[in-house]
Amino acid sequence: MQGEDPFDQGAGSILRQPKAVWATAGASVVAFMGIGLVDPILPSIAKGLEATPSQVSLLFTSYFLITAVAMLVTGFVSSRIGGRKTLLTGLALVVVFAALSGTSSSVAELVGFRAGWGLGNALFVSTALAVIVGAAAGGSSAAILLYESALGLGMACGPLLGALLGDASWRYPFFGTAALMAIGFICITAFLKEQPKPARKTSLLDPIKALGHGGLASVATSAFFYNYAFFTILAFTPFVLNMTPYKSGAVFFAWGLLLAVFSVLVAPRLQKRFGSLRVLGASLVLLAADLVILGYGNHTAAIVCTIVSGAFIGMNNTVYTELALGVSDAPRPVASAGYNFVRWFAAAAAPYLAPKIEEWSNIHIPFVVAAIAAVVGAVVVWIRRTALTHEAKELEPGHATEDGVTVFAD
């Protein structure tokens, strides 16, 4: 990634990609919108279904718990039926379960439907990265940044869509997501051709075996603690801010914009100047400081710190993704599945534990715990820095493929 500008207008530009890549990236935006979609309407859901904050937070827990476990299945499925069919299966599941979420009559039903949504999202999101890397022009730099752009845009627009539709009813954002994902299904069907199936099928245990590599295990462990901090902000802060859907949506829209800008524009430049590990370690420490101020500051400080956290989260997401895909010799889909299997468990734990910790203590302590988690993530990076210095070899267009995507050059 270093030494080139993926925004250059040449053939390798992030902006000059095949229709199949844009169709997949566009559907990815909607998939990531589903993560932050419920943020501004969490209080409305709690009121509408007569549920407590800890019960409503299970919407995230069920979603990400199923997503984590499903990471072991995605490679198994895609290596047998192909990337295109896996994407379409994931999209179809999201359409069905997002629509069903909007019909829920109890928080238990909604939590269950979100679990099914998580399965569909896991099949889609993990395969989408592999498809974009395999089909993108310009090698892995352009592909990863395009994927991170989709993530950032989705994270920014999800709360905005949730606020706009949720102001009328908390049910409408779920129906809106189902409709958008249906459009994504049509675009993938129209523009993405089936990719060649890999010569060797991926087993269910391959992602676990990949974690036997010290570098990949270190990245996954650090990302586990980072994700706990990340999803404490995403799932617990809306209850702390206690704002209307419009105002909460505006806060998280600004948060998402910073996430997108720093992941796509700022992180690559800082990495080139200071190195990935220094950028990651510093960003995690700054995120921890931001969390402490968020937890102990007044309401205005909490709003500002929530928005500012998007900058650190954006940088962390980009660096972690590159490290996970390049630090080991495992095929990228397998390395990604193992890495995501570990880190998404923290995304499932944080939304449940944060309100519980508040019940056991006070409103400040959940943010202190999240700050400690971010620092632990930085400590893991520092202690394991030798294992993480293996540089990923840049992918070039036209290389042979393995497991359905382009693999490392020899």
Side-chain angles (χ1 to χ4, degrees):
M1 166 168 210
Q2 297 178 8
E4 65 180 77
D5 184 0
F7 289 92
D8 180 78
Q9 294 300 309
S13 169
I14 188 176
L15 303 176
R16 298 175 65 87
Q17 300 295 337
K19 290 182 180 178
V21 172
W22 285 116
T24 306
S28 297
V29 171
V30 183
F32 287 119
M33 285 172 62
I35 296 177
L37 179 82
V38 298
D39 261 36
I41 57 172
L42 284 175
S44 299
I45 294 173
K47 183 178 179 180
L49 296 178
E50 299 181 350
T52 65
S54 60
Q55 288 175 323
V56 173
S57 294
L58 290 174
L59 296 179
F60 287 99
T61 298
S62 64
Y63 181 91
F64 287 114
L65 186 61
I66 295 301
T67 297
V69 176
M71 286 299 165
L72 300 179
V73 180
T74 54
F76 178 87
V77 173
S78 64
S79 66
R80 285 163 174 76
I81 68 174
R84 181 174 182 271
K85 291 179 181 177
T86 304
L87 287 177
L88 293 175
T89 300
L91 284 169
L93 286 172
V94 172
V95 170
V96 170
F97 283 104
L100 287 173
S101 294
T103 67
S104 301
S105 58
S106 69
V107 70
E109 281 188 11
L110 185 52
V111 168
F113 291 143
R114 280 282 285 182
W117 186 341
L119 173 60
N121 214 52
L123 288 170
F124 175 81
V125 169
S126 62
T127 309
L129 177 58
V131 168
I132 289 174
V133 169
S140 66
S141 289
I144 289 175
L145 284 181
L146 186 60
Y147 184 79
E148 292 297 335
S149 299
L151 188 156
L153 187 59
M155 286 290 200
C157 293
L160 193 62
L161 179 67
L164 293 175
L165 297 179
D167 189 60
S169 169
W170 64 264
R171 300 180 186 275
Y172 291 169
F174 297 110
F175 295 137
T177 299
L180 289 173
M181 276 307 222
I183 295 173
F185 185 96
I186 294 171
C187 291
I188 295 292
T189 302
F191 297 116
L192 181 64
K193 297 180 180 179
E194 185 57 84
Q195 296 179 321
K197 294 181 182 179
R200 185 181 70 83
K201 292 181 173 64
T202 301
S203 77
L204 293 174
L205 293 179
D206 280 350
I208 300 296
K209 293 176 181 177
L211 291 170
H213 185 280
L216 184 60
S218 300
V219 174
T221 301
S222 177
F224 174 89
F225 290 104
Y226 156 65
N227 262 34
Y228 184 92
F230 176 0
F231 284 92
T232 295
I233 294 172
L234 193 63
F236 184 62
T237 303
F239 292 107
V240 176
L241 297 179
N242 193 26
M243 303 166 73
T244 64
Y246 274 130
K247 291 181 179 179
S248 183
V251 169
F252 279 95
F253 176 68
W255 169 85
L257 284 181
L258 275 185
L259 188 154
V261 169
F262 274 76
S263 66
V264 177
L265 299 177
V266 179
R269 287 163 174 77
L270 291 178
Q271 286 175 269
K272 184 176 181 180
R273 182 171 180 179
F274 300 107
S276 295
L277 298 188
R278 288 181 180 176
V279 170
L280 181 59
S283 182
L284 287 168
V285 171
L286 290 172
L287 177 62
D290 183 83
L291 278 161
V292 172
I293 299 172
L294 196 163
Y296 282 94
N298 58 25
H299 192 259
T300 300
I303 292 174
V304 172
C305 287
T306 299
I307 295 173
V308 170
S309 70
F312 307 127
I313 290 170
M315 289 192 290
N316 293 338
N317 286 348
T318 293
V319 179
Y320 273 121
T321 299
E322 292 181 6
L323 287 175
L325 294 183
V327 75
S328 75
D329 294 326
R332 291 193 168 201
V334 174
S336 177
Y339 160 74
N340 282 301
F341 172 70
V342 173
R343 76 183 183 110
W344 286 126
F345 275 111
Y352 176 75
L353 290 178
K356 286 294 183 183
I357 292 172
E358 181 197 10
E359 293 174 10
W360 299 332
S361 55
N362 57 60
I363 200 169
H364 310 299
I365 302 303
F367 295 103
V368 174
V369 174
I372 292 172
V375 171
V376 172
V379 170
V380 172
V381 170
W382 182 77
I383 292 175
R384 297 291 295 165
R385 60 191 181 279
T386 302
L388 297 174
T389 53
H390 175 77
E391 293 294 332
K393 295 179 181 179
E394 187 60 42
L395 299 181
E396 298 294 341
H399 283 294
T401 61
E402 180 179 336
D403 285 356
V405 298
T406 310
V407 297
F408 295 119
D410 293 328

